[in-house]
Amino acid sequence: MQSFTLYAILMIEHNNRRNAGFCLQLRLIKMKRHTLKRNMLLCLAALLLAGCSDGGDERTATPASNVVIRQAGGPRLTRLEFLAADNPGLLVGDVVCTIVGDSVAECWVPHVMAGKRLVPRFTIEGTDSTVQQARLMAGDTSIESSRTAVDFTSPVTLTLTPADDGQPWKKDYTVLVHAFTGLPVLWVETEGRAAVESKEDYVRATFRLVEDVVTRAPSDVLQIEGQIRGRGNTTWALPKKPYKMKLDAKASLLGMPADKSWVLLANYTDKTMLRNALALRMAAIDGRGYAPRSHFVELMLNGRYEGTYQLCEKVELSRHRVDVGGDGFLLEADAKAKGDPDARLFYVRHIEAPINVKEPGVDYGDEDFAYVRDFVTKADSVLFSEGFTDPVDGWRKYMDMDSFVDWYLVNEIARNNDAIMFSSCYMHLPRGGRLRMGPVWDFDIAFGNVSYNGNYEPEGFWVRRQAWFDRMFWDPAFRARVKERFAFLHSRLDDILDGINADAAYLRRSAQENENRWGTLYEKTWPNRDVWGCYENEVQCMKQWLTRRMDWLREEFGKM
């Protein structure tokens, strides 16, 4: 048996307003070999402190009650289940529902389903004579236990009523049948079930997106043809692969504006699977600028469950995405583009990485390429000129200050390692307009989830060190706008933390299935600094990191 020394360091940072709770950090030092045995660990769940508030009333959410006319001791639905024997081809095992508050039945099917037309089995109990005459209805249809099929694709209200319609009572139960984890399921079947092994070559595929009962988007089932390939740089080399989808026709996925191009973010290195969603939410918190929209899904690729993915809008020029009119440009500072034969790169003096003209397609030497290169070169030069703060002819003549402030703050709050104009640093330029920073992108190794450059610490500036932003901070107008915008973001911290809690609750079952597939929670995966244990610990510690980061930045910006 391998020997381990286990250090459990309990860090308690109690903040009444944010209910930060407890964070348990597991540091496992192996004495013989660098392998972490899962069966030697217990998940030390993050303990939330009870009764923490800012002096306001504590409130508990209560399901809305239905109008009920029913005698005391009258009929009640005490058991609801779906038996595999009653539902051949749909269920592989029996499913017993949980009846909550005598009004809601939660039913979790532990596998992906092709459909939800199911035959329920139920038990009605009570103490008075009306029990014998009670019947269960779905709309106008009387339900016979273990005989009548009901479509549970959407929430269904089952109603207990008297069989003879002669007594003034009824009792409603809302039944929700969640397939698998409660997330939408994206089924991808490639032509001939060909493997998706390349970032360059597309494979033909059929996409079938199946919505579920309590997910966060309005669509139901969509089936469309298209293509799929790999994507990403470092992330493509990881076990759980990210993908790019290209549909044959524009389609609205899960309520997002219709388009052909979509990406599937794997979030393999981020054990919360929430960091990208967190950053995008912060960037779009008041609708001031565009941030890619996204939705969590379960991915089934050629019949195999691949885990929890983030279906996201691709960063591209579009009326509903990066809108620069009909003749603008999308740019990216990207050190990793040097080896891309399709990249069209140029350099400016104060950004080390090359700038790639992503869209539209340009060639070296053509008019569009020259326009972009010359404009950004001029902006860079003016930013570092003697009179760069001039409100008319200074840097703000060429660069949109608000977009740079917004982009800077989201990335600085996240202490995003690549946001020093290294990679995934997008800009866009409307022809005849000013250079705008954004949209934000790529945060899986942000918010403390990195082991190098000191970016695991919540204290210290990072993005400000980059030459452009360092220079902008010498402009009093830029500093004032940063302080103003940060004060707004800090005032919304409770909302941001509530959003994290809501997303974590939404993924609670999906996270376990993803863990069953990939086994990362109790392992050190690149570039994690620490192993926190179970999913709840990962989420709680990210929240603590964010809270400490926001408080540190508030203090530092207050000194300016």
Side-chain angles (χ1 to χ4, degrees):
M1 183 178 187
Q2 297 184 7
S3 298
F4 292 80
T5 300
L6 172 63
Y7 295 96
I9 301 174
L10 175 62
M11 300 189 300
I12 304 176
E13 294 188 5
H14 181 187
N15 182 304
N16 284 341
R17 180 168 57 84
R18 293 162 196 154
N19 197 14
F22 293 91
C23 185
L24 303 178
Q25 177 180 7
L26 303 179
R27 295 185 181 275
L28 291 112
I29 302 175
K30 183 167 147 177
M31 306 302 290
K32 291 188 176 179
R33 291 182 304 179
H34 191 61
T35 303
L36 182 62
K37 292 295 184 181
R38 189 170 307 162
N39 60 5
M40 298 186 69
L41 288 173
L42 295 176
C43 176
L44 302 178
L47 303 175
L48 295 178
L49 295 178
C52 298
S53 71
D54 58 353
D57 295 336
E58 292 294 323
R59 294 177 173 86
T60 302
T62 304
S65 60
N66 298 297
V67 176
V68 177
I69 305 173
R70 186 186 60 173
Q71 297 173 350
R76 295 170 55 244
L77 184 65
T78 58
R79 186 175 179 87
L80 180 68
E81 58 190 335
F82 299 94
L83 304 184
D86 294 339
N87 297 276
L90 288 175
L91 298 179
V92 297
D94 297 342
V95 175
V96 179
C97 304
T98 301
I99 299 177
V100 181
D102 197 28
S103 61
V104 176
E106 294 271 6
C107 312
W108 289 93
V109 179
H111 57 80
V112 175
M113 303 173 65
K116 292 185 181 176
R117 189 170 179 81
L118 299 170
V119 176
R121 179 176 178 178
F122 54 87
T123 302
I124 300 172
E125 295 181 355
T127 60
D128 66 12
S129 60
T130 60
V131 173
Q132 301 302 320
Q133 289 79 40
R135 63 179 176 177
L136 192 63
M137 305 287 293
D140 296 328
T141 302
S142 180
I143 310 300
E144 293 185 50
S145 183
S146 293
R147 291 180 62 87
T148 307
V150 178
D151 187 357
F152 290 94
T153 301
S154 299
V156 173
T157 298
L158 298 183
T159 303
L160 280 174
T161 64
D164 59 7
D165 294 325
Q167 300 182 48
W169 61 263
K170 70 173 184 175
K171 175 59 180 173
D172 289 340
Y173 292 86
T174 301
V175 181
L176 302 101
V177 177
H178 309 277
F180 204 40
T181 64
L183 272 64
V185 181
L186 177 61
W187 298 75
V188 180
E189 285 287 326
T190 62
E191 195 172 74
R193 289 208 161 180
V196 183
E197 299 177 327
S198 170
K199 294 195 302 178
E200 289 76 35
D201 300 323
Y202 278 103
V203 177
R204 291 293 304 173
T206 299
F207 302 95
R208 185 170 184 263
L209 186 59
V210 182
E211 180 59 286
D212 209 342
V213 175
V214 290
T215 51
R216 300 173 174 180
S219 59
D220 184 11
V221 177
L222 172 73
Q223 184 162 316
I224 193 167
E225 301 297 314
Q227 306 174 80
I228 187 171
R229 65 169 173 83
R231 64 169 304 278
N233 292 303
T234 304
T235 52
W236 180 245
L238 299 172
K240 185 183 178 187
K241 306 295 184 186
Y243 300 102
K244 179 184 177 184
M245 299 161 47
K246 188 175 182 181
L247 307 181
D248 289 350
K250 289 185 178 181
S252 172
L253 305 185
L254 302 173
M256 295 179 280
D259 208 289
K260 290 184 178 181
S261 297
W262 304 84
V263 296
L264 286 164
L265 304 179
N267 292 320
Y268 179 79
T269 60
D270 174 15
K271 295 172 183 177
T272 71
M273 300 184 285
L274 300 178
R275 284 176 167 86
N276 276 305
L278 168 59
L280 296 177
R281 180 184 295 111
M282 290 174 62
I285 196 165
D286 61 355
R288 191 159 93 165
Y290 167 72
R293 290 165 282 253
S294 67
H295 201 296
F296 294 107
V297 299
E298 305 288 13
L299 177 62
M300 297 290 294
L301 178 57
N302 290 330
R304 184 172 188 189
Y305 173 65
E306 293 295 340
T308 309
Y309 277 74
Q310 191 174 349
L311 176 62
C312 189
E313 293 178 329
K314 179 180 179 288
V315 177
E316 64 177 3
L317 297 182
S318 168
R319 183 167 61 90
H320 296 294
R321 297 184 179 179
V322 183
D323 187 2
V324 291
D327 56 356
F329 304 90
L330 177 66
L331 317 175
E332 180 188 7
D334 184 11
K336 300 173 183 177
K338 298 176 184 178
D340 183 356
D342 296 325
R344 295 297 179 262
L345 310 176
F346 65 91
Y347 289 83
V348 295
R349 182 176 180 182
H350 297 97
I351 295 179
E352 184 175 346
I355 298 175
N356 183 16
V357 183
K358 299 283 288 184
E359 294 182 16
V362 299
D363 286 318
Y364 291 117
D366 71 17
E367 182 180 350
D368 284 343
F369 180 83
Y371 177 87
V372 175
R373 179 199 60 206
D374 294 348
F375 188 97
V376 180
T377 300
K378 177 67 173 178
D380 177 79
S381 175
V382 172
L383 178 62
F384 286 86
S385 68
E386 184 175 348
F388 80 105
T389 61
D390 188 285
V392 176
D393 294 320
W395 72 277
R396 282 172 276 155
K397 177 180 179 180
Y398 300 91
M399 304 163 85
D400 179 76
M401 182 168 68
D402 284 344
S403 69
F404 276 83
V405 168
D406 292 350
W407 188 93
Y408 163 76
L409 280 173
V410 173
N411 282 279
E412 187 71 272
I413 290 169
R415 202 162 179 174
N416 190 358
N417 192 78
D418 293 343
I420 51 171
M421 294 298 191
F422 177 75
S423 69
S424 299
C425 298
Y426 286 99
M427 298 169 273
H428 50 286
L429 176 64
R431 190 181 292 271
R434 292 177 295 172
L435 182 67
R436 297 179 58 86
M437 200 71 202
V440 300
W441 189 252
D442 199 2
F443 289 81
D444 53 341
I445 60 171
F447 297 102
N449 187 39
V450 65
S451 60
Y452 49 90
N453 290 334
N455 285 328
Y456 46 83
E457 297 288 355
E459 298 85 17
F461 285 109
W462 175 248
V463 182
R464 183 180 170 180
R465 301 179 187 180
Q466 196 278 327
W468 272 17
F469 291 102
D470 178 68
R471 182 64 168 172
M472 289 175 186
F473 266 96
W474 287 91
D475 183 351
F478 182 81
R479 287 201 308 273
R481 196 65 59 86
V482 166
K483 294 173 67 174
E484 175 188 346
R485 184 63 174 173
F486 178 79
F488 167 75
L489 291 173
H490 195 279
S491 74
R492 298 292 298 273
L493 180 56
D494 285 343
D495 296 331
I496 294 169
L497 294 173
D498 287 345
I500 296 173
N501 291 338
D503 282 345
Y506 183 54
L507 296 187
R508 66 192 185 282
R509 289 177 173 83
S510 180
Q512 183 56 57
E513 296 299 331
N514 188 81
E515 170 66 8
N516 293 341
R517 177 69 175 88
W518 297 108
T520 60
L521 284 176
Y522 297 87
E523 305 286 346
K524 231 179 184 182
T525 58
W526 179 92
N528 303 155
R529 177 176 169 82
D530 299 301
V531 177
W532 297 103
C534 63
Y535 183 72
E536 292 81 1
N537 283 355
E538 290 286 346
V539 173
Q540 185 66 17
C541 292
M542 181 184 73
K543 288 164 54 183
Q544 280 197 324
W545 189 96
L546 174 61
T547 299
R548 292 176 60 189
R549 178 70 173 160
M550 292 289 276
D551 288 347
W552 184 86
L553 287 170
R554 179 177 60 175
E555 182 177 348
E556 292 302 310
F557 288 143
K559 298 175 182 177
M560 295 181 181

